[in-house]
Amino acid sequence: MVNAKVKQRLSAAHIGRINDVALRNDTIYASASYERYTPLQSCDEAKDSVTSVILDGPNSFYSSSVDGNVRLYDIRQGRITCCDVGSPIVSLSVVDDCVAASCLDGTIRLIEKDLGELLNTYHTAHSVSQYAIQCAITSKYVVTGSEESGIDAVLYDLVQAKAQHVLKSKELSTGPTCAVDAQDHCIVTASYNGKPLVWT
């Protein structure tokens, strides 16, 4: 249960806008910001705004940046693995052995975690050009929001990369659907109309 009490104020403050935060087991915190670094372990390799940070296991985390790179930081081994996807990244999603990077060129790139190889791309039924549109991965789909008004989410087949479903609510979303999260049997979306939707 969460109460309204502040547990800890972090000393490593950002001087600019914070784009993303992450929490693991109530003790490890990470954040990504406009000024190109994540204050966990003073990671400052990004050449532009850090857009996402995702904790992955007890000793590693991912970050994405507008410089077009996905970075895996292995704190225990003191190693950074970097994958340049060729376009500014606005959102990142990680599951098991894959990373999905939502990019400003309107393409989501699915990357193999260990080798950094491009596995697939998804780009036909959604639009991304200026907003930080989130994506998520399930066992069957890559799910994304869209800047196109009226579209709440697009579900791409994970393997075939074809749009399988376009979710549209009865109350049309106004403006982009920026926030998306998904599991196998549930999807949550939120757009500029201020109403989060749960899809089952």
Side-chain angles (χ1 to χ4, degrees):
M1 186 165 118
V2 176
N3 58 35
K5 188 169 80 172
V6 174
K7 178 177 178 178
Q8 177 182 2
R9 293 192 191 279
L10 302 177
S11 60
H14 293 283
I15 58 173
R17 181 183 75 215
I18 294 177
N19 294 325
D20 199 11
V21 294
L23 169 71
R24 170 77 70 215
N25 297 330
D26 200 31
T27 56
I28 300 173
Y29 308 94
S31 58
S33 81
Y34 190 73
E35 76 255 7
R36 306 182 334 250
Y37 80 99
T38 56
L40 184 67
Q41 297 289 317
S42 297
C43 302
D44 59 358
E45 292 76 19
K47 294 172 182 66
D48 208 327
S49 175
V50 178
T51 55
S52 295
V53 60
I54 298 174
L55 298 172
D56 185 55
N59 302 305
S60 61
F61 68 95
Y62 287 89
S63 73
S64 63
S65 174
V66 177
D67 68 9
N69 286 282
V70 175
R71 292 174 177 84
L72 169 60
Y73 295 87
D74 188 323
I75 297 169
R76 180 176 286 168
Q77 295 181 9
R79 185 176 69 199
I80 301 169
T81 305
C82 188
C83 177
D84 187 347
V85 301
S87 178
I89 303 168
V90 296
S91 165
L92 196 65
S93 181
V94 177
V95 65
D96 298 331
D97 57 352
C98 297
V99 176
S102 179
C103 301
L104 270 179
D105 65 359
T107 300
I108 298 172
R109 291 165 172 85
L110 188 67
I111 303 161
E112 198 276 333
K113 275 171 60 170
D114 294 328
L115 301 175
E117 292 180 8
L118 181 66
L119 301 174
N120 223 333
T121 59
Y122 311 85
H123 55 82
T124 58
H126 75 286
S127 64
V128 177
S129 63
Q130 62 185 24
Y131 293 97
I133 304 295
Q134 294 180 348
C135 63
I137 310 171
T138 72
S139 62
K140 296 180 182 180
Y141 300 107
V142 170
V143 183
T144 183
S146 181
E147 289 182 7
E148 187 178 332
S149 196
I151 294 179
D152 290 291
V154 176
L155 284 70
Y156 290 99
D157 182 275
L158 186 64
V159 177
Q160 297 177 357
K162 294 181 181 174
Q164 297 295 308
H165 306 284
V166 176
L167 303 180
K168 298 179 180 183
S169 66
K170 291 178 184 174
E171 297 177 27
L172 291 179
S173 62
T174 55
T177 298
C178 291
V180 173
D181 200 2
Q183 297 177 352
D184 282 336
H185 302 290
C186 183
I187 297 170
V188 179
T189 62
S191 71
Y192 275 24
N193 67 6
K195 297 177 181 176
L197 298 172
V198 178
W199 307 79
T200 56

